[in-house]
Amino acid sequence: MSHRKFSAPRHGSMGFAPKRRARGIRGRVKAFPKDDQKKPIHLTAFLAFKAGMTHVVACIGAWHPARVSIFVARAGQKGFFHRTELNKKVYRIGKGVLQDGKMGPKTNAMTAADLTEKAITPMGGFKHYGEVNHDYVMLKGCVMGPRKRVITIRKSLLTQTKRAALEKINLKFIDTSSKFGHGRFQTGAEKAAFMGPLKKDKIKPKA
């Protein structure tokens, strides 16, 4: 049994602690931004699946569970489905290579400065996820939860006025090298040109 100082601290309100349980694994949007009827029809909130990240750094504080703060959301404990982040920077909203049930050209990771024809999926696929063939959203920073977690994304309720939020995004390069180990090639053609013919390419598949 935990000590009372963890469940009823002297300072701070428990009203701001994450909730204990949720009915399902999918989040619900309970508030929407003010609608502007002059703008064309657009989404203000939707559900997406987390594919992967480049770097992951996580720490819950103390090493022993009895010493972890009550305000830290953990799996199976308070806040498992109620972790919220605000003002995430959107780097790109791209179309998938799969359109109308057919695979199109894999060029949705190209930029004005990088004209290499490549898809957003890195070589070997995203770790513990696979390939991303549908429309995608690229965000700055980390996204909570493991791979394949359903993430609820909503348009900001407040009007952004900070310079960092109003700056224009000019994406010049998207790294599509392998996330398994130290990837150095952006595409399969680049790897084949550097490595030359390999033994596995000469072996004919058995009928």
Side-chain angles (χ1 to χ4, degrees):
M1 183 175 179
S2 177
H3 195 273
R4 188 177 183 278
K5 66 181 180 180
F6 299 116
S7 61
R10 291 183 59 188
H11 303 285
S13 174
M14 289 293 291
F16 297 96
K19 294 183 180 181
R20 293 178 179 272
R21 294 292 185 218
R23 293 183 179 179
I25 63 172
R26 298 195 176 194
R28 289 184 294 174
V29 181
K30 300 180 181 180
F32 291 88
K34 188 176 181 180
D35 189 21
D36 188 358
Q37 298 182 358
K38 298 180 181 179
K39 295 183 179 180
I41 299 176
H42 61 280
L43 290 175
T44 56
F46 59 93
L47 299 179
F49 292 91
K50 176 181 175 181
M53 296 186 299
T54 303
H55 301 286
V56 179
V57 179
C59 180
I60 62 174
W63 65 273
H64 197 276
R67 300 289 300 178
V68 177
S69 172
I70 62 172
F71 299 104
V72 175
R74 293 187 292 154
Q77 302 296 327
K78 302 176 184 179
F80 181 75
F81 301 104
H82 293 271
R83 283 174 280 191
T84 305
E85 294 186 18
L86 303 177
N87 303 328
K88 303 295 289 187
K89 193 76 171 180
V90 178
Y91 275 169
R92 171 177 279 194
I93 301 177
K95 289 188 176 182
V97 296
L98 184 63
Q99 297 292 336
D100 299 329
K102 298 180 180 179
M103 295 295 292
K106 297 184 178 182
T107 58
N108 57 358
M110 295 174 58
T111 62
D114 183 18
L115 301 180
T116 305
E117 295 185 358
K118 55 184 179 179
I120 192 63
T121 303
M123 293 189 62
F126 285 100
K127 298 176 65 175
H128 309 292
Y129 185 86
E131 296 185 0
V132 176
N133 295 324
H134 297 275
D135 300 346
Y136 67 92
V137 179
M138 184 184 297
L139 303 178
K140 178 183 179 181
C142 63
V143 177
M144 75 290 286
R147 274 75 170 176
K148 302 181 182 180
R149 169 65 55 81
V150 181
I151 305 297
T152 305
I153 304 177
R154 182 191 62 191
K155 186 179 179 181
S156 177
L157 297 176
L158 305 176
T159 303
Q160 300 295 325
T161 58
K162 292 185 178 181
R163 183 180 299 177
L166 299 178
E167 65 178 353
K168 186 178 180 180
I169 299 298
N170 184 18
L171 209 58
K172 296 184 177 181
F173 179 76
I174 299 177
D175 183 24
T176 58
S177 61
S178 176
K179 305 307 175 186
F180 296 87
H182 302 282
R184 56 184 299 187
F185 305 107
Q186 297 294 317
T187 62
E190 180 183 345
K191 180 180 179 180
F194 180 85
M195 301 292 292
L198 302 177
K199 182 179 179 179
K200 64 179 182 179
D201 300 329
K202 299 180 180 179
I203 299 177
K204 296 182 180 180
K206 296 182 181 179

